[in-house]
Amino acid sequence: MKGRAVNVEIVAGLILFCVFAGAMLLVLTSGAGAYKNVGDELEGQFGERTCVSYIAAKVRHYDSQAAVEIVDFNGMQALCLKEEIQGTPYVTLLYHYDGYVRELFFAQGAELLPEDGETIIAAEALELEEAEAGLLRVECVTEGRSAELYLALRSTGGEGL
């Protein structure tokens, strides 16, 4: 009789251990899924925010009416940032081409093609517009997600691009 009581205790202990191990496995599996979802979300936000943050930093650097404008570059919209270095005028163009936001820096008057620009970040689209006088709207679409930013050009006094 005593042998059966020991066997029941062992079986009950094994069942309890299996239930505990199964519950722990379920918790770990659901935690791993949540972690993956959070990682995917952060990665998506990184792409869209990086695109508009990069453009915002560039615009702030060139923040004056004469230095920032939206232009046509080979049939596509581009943000044109102008500066003068040692008496020579230079242009930086930010535009979307072939699945990337690209940057092209060159001496004013040089003839370059869109594919000559350095790739900055993968993007599906980049939209630039003067929302109102002195207010630039930038929208970047990456991985199906859109980030929009409005930039007030401080040095223009609100008088336009």
Side-chain angles (χ1 to χ4, degrees):
M1 194 73 140
K2 190 166 180 148
R4 277 187 190 233
V6 172
N7 287 340
V8 170
E9 288 175 4
I10 291 174
V11 169
L14 284 173
I15 289 173
L16 187 59
F17 175 76
C18 288
V19 168
F20 177 73
M24 191 180 333
L25 184 62
L26 285 173
V27 168
L28 288 174
T29 303
S30 67
Y35 180 78
K36 181 185 181 310
N37 291 341
V38 168
D40 291 346
E41 179 71 19
L42 288 175
E43 186 176 320
Q45 288 178 1
F46 173 80
E48 68 190 45
R49 289 182 181 168
T50 301
C51 181
V52 293
S53 294
Y54 181 83
I55 293 171
K58 285 292 202 177
V59 168
R60 287 183 187 117
H61 177 75
Y62 294 90
D63 191 10
S64 73
Q65 185 173 354
V68 178
E69 64 181 320
I70 298 171
V71 299
D72 179 71
F73 176 57
N74 286 13
M76 66 187 85
Q77 199 178 47
L79 188 60
C80 179
L81 310 167
K82 300 175 185 178
E83 67 183 317
E84 191 171 302
I85 301 173
Q86 297 178 347
T88 305
Y90 287 92
V91 175
T92 300
L93 292 178
L94 296 169
Y95 57 96
H96 180 265
Y97 178 76
D98 198 25
Y100 291 94
V101 172
R102 294 177 182 247
E103 180 176 341
L104 188 58
F105 177 77
F106 57 95
Q108 191 169 354
E111 295 292 324
L112 297 168
L113 300 172
E115 54 268 15
D116 294 331
E118 291 291 323
T119 59
I120 303 300
I121 190 165
E124 296 162 21
L126 176 66
E127 187 176 324
L128 307 161
E129 75 170 308
E130 183 179 5
E132 57 185 64
L135 188 64
L136 176 67
R137 186 180 79 81
V138 178
E139 183 178 2
C140 187
V141 179
T142 57
E143 297 179 18
R145 303 168 63 118
S146 175
E148 184 178 57
L149 180 67
Y150 287 87
L151 295 166
L153 299 178
R154 304 275 183 236
S155 59
T156 65
E159 296 174 14
L161 286 179

